[in-house]
Amino acid sequence: GQQLNQSPQSMFIQEGEDVSMNCTSSSIFNTWLWYKQDPGEGPVLLIALYKAGELTSNGRLTAQFGITRKDSFLNISASIPSDVGIYFCAVIQGAQKLVFGQGTRLTINP
Amino acid sequence: NAGVTQTPKFRILKIGQSMTLQCTQDMNHNYMYWYRQDPGMGLKLIYYSVGAGITDKGEVPNGYNVSRSTTEDFPLRLELAAPSQTSVYFCASRLAGGERTQYFGPGTRLTVL
């Protein structure tokens, strides 16, 4: 099946640092999504990208849809403790299916 | 709105037992989905439904069954539980058409021993 390669797998940073993670695919997709999952919870949508080259912000989060439609990145600026969690990229395959990356686990040292 | 609710939150099964994971949404969403998430991995689609009476297989349907008799409910059935089905199960839903945002429930953590 389709695979999304998400990196890094984990990050250990100091509070206040900026974070960058990315997701690549061998296939073209028309929608890229970024989700965050807190421990014991389901994923929550952070940002949705619908147009190649699009740069979208949601507070301290910024995500870009790559111009080739095969990649996306997510940046978090000035990290705070509540940013801890697992971040997943996802694409919509066909009409229905969400395909997820393996996730990036973010840990923040106070 | 309660959103997407799932029961139970936790369950331990013995090999060969059966159980039904419940999922209900009160947002009048047409589309509903079941995913499983194994440790350290992303979510994989088990089954989905585009409306009452219509279901279809996802990426990993073996060992599971679903039904969709109402818009609100989408139960997932395990008939003969196996250790490979130890996972966290998430239900999700979304509106038909337009923005394709899926809303997820809190998950059911299942262990098969």
Side-chain angles (χ1 to χ4, degrees):
Chain A
Q2 174 60 44
Q3 296 238 333
L4 296 181
N5 296 311
Q6 190 171 345
S7 64
Q9 284 192 339
S10 58
M11 301 183 75
F12 299 85
I13 62 168
Q14 297 293 122
E15 184 177 348
E17 286 184 9
D18 296 342
V19 171
S20 185
M21 59 191 80
N22 68 76
C23 199
T24 60
S25 168
S26 57
S27 300
I28 289 173
F29 291 100
N30 293 321
T31 302
W32 285 80
L33 308 168
W34 285 94
Y35 283 85
K36 183 188 179 215
Q37 185 177 26
D38 291 327
E41 301 289 333
V44 174
L45 183 68
L46 298 174
I47 293 179
L49 301 160
Y50 300 104
K51 198 169 162 186
E54 179 183 357
L55 186 71
T56 297
S57 293
N58 178 6
R60 292 178 297 104
L61 277 62
T62 302
Q64 182 154 30
F65 188 158
I67 199 73
T68 65
R69 291 188 282 158
K70 292 184 177 181
D71 61 348
S72 177
F73 72 74
L74 175 71
N75 285 345
I76 306 172
S77 63
S79 59
I80 60 177
S82 62
D83 291 333
V84 165
I86 304 176
Y87 292 80
F88 290 99
C89 61
V91 293
I92 298 178
Q93 187 175 45
Q96 298 303 331
K97 301 176 186 180
L98 268 186
V99 175
F100 285 83
Q102 309 97 314
T104 294
R105 183 181 295 272
L106 180 62
T107 303
I108 297 176
N109 299 318
Chain B
N1 284 353
V4 180
T5 56
Q6 292 182 238
T7 56
K9 212 161 170 54
F10 303 95
R11 184 73 186 267
I12 298 175
L13 285 181
K14 293 183 180 175
I15 294 172
Q17 284 186 320
S18 61
M19 78 163 293
T20 299
L21 283 68
Q22 302 291 346
C23 176
T24 300
Q25 52 89 13
D26 62 358
M27 299 175 281
N28 206 29
H29 285 174
N30 304 85
Y31 297 171
M32 295 186 75
Y33 307 81
W34 274 106
Y35 294 88
R36 61 177 284 171
Q37 184 179 30
D38 297 329
M41 303 294 289
L43 284 73
K44 291 189 177 178
L45 183 65
I46 305 171
Y47 271 96
Y48 66 97
S49 168
V50 301
I54 306 169
T55 62
D56 208 346
K57 294 178 181 178
E59 185 182 354
V60 289
N62 291 345
Y64 307 95
N65 279 300
V66 293
S67 58
R68 184 97 182 268
S69 55
T70 67
T71 299
E72 295 79 18
D73 301 306
F74 190 39
L76 178 72
R77 179 97 181 142
L78 283 70
E79 290 293 352
L80 288 170
S84 61
Q85 293 178 304
T86 294
S87 191
V88 181
Y89 292 84
F90 290 100
C91 179
S93 72
R94 73 167 179 92
L95 280 170
E99 184 186 283
R100 298 191 195 177
T101 303
Q102 292 188 17
Y103 295 88
F104 285 82
T108 294
R109 184 176 294 274
L110 176 67
T111 302
V112 182
L113 300 175

